[in-house]
Amino acid sequence: MAKPMTKTQLVAALAEELGGDKKSASASLDAVIAVITKEVSAGGAVTLPGVGKIYCRERPERMVRNPATGEQIKKEADKVVKMTIAKALKDSVNG
């Protein structure tokens, strides 16, 4: 498995793809991340065409087990960020 692309590498690739400089590519990436974070934090969802959908899901209160002791513990309700991958991306990886 290849190492994940770092933010620096992503910014450089964006700058090359757009034909611009790294500073504007970094600002654009930061703006996209801020918009996604704000929307998902507010309970909404963001669809990135060709990539997938990022959304927040609420998990109910539940019983969990401590693996070290085997003790049952009640875990409070919480929220978790999920991502559904787009079919186009799955097909490009598998085909």
Side-chain angles (χ1 to χ4, degrees):
M1 184 172 173
K3 292 175 79 173
M5 184 181 266
T6 64
K7 182 178 178 182
T8 305
Q9 292 168 332
L10 181 58
V11 167
L14 279 172
E16 184 179 321
E17 188 73 27
L18 296 172
D21 60 316
K22 290 181 183 177
K23 188 174 182 181
S24 62
S26 179
S28 298
L29 180 61
D30 289 341
V32 169
I33 291 169
V35 169
I36 291 171
T37 301
K38 188 171 86 173
E39 184 63 26
V40 174
S41 296
V46 176
T47 300
L48 300 171
V51 176
K53 179 180 177 182
I54 302 171
Y55 57 96
C56 184
R57 186 177 75 89
E58 292 186 23
R59 287 196 295 197
E61 183 178 276
R62 61 198 187 280
M63 296 300 289
V64 296
R65 182 182 308 266
N66 180 339
T69 63
E71 176 188 6
Q72 290 277 345
I73 303 168
K74 184 193 288 188
K75 184 163 181 180
E76 299 297 322
D78 62 348
K79 294 179 182 179
V80 63
V81 176
K82 295 283 193 173
M83 182 168 184
T84 303
I85 305 301
K87 185 176 183 327
L89 182 57
K90 287 181 191 175
D91 290 346
S92 71
V93 169
N94 292 323

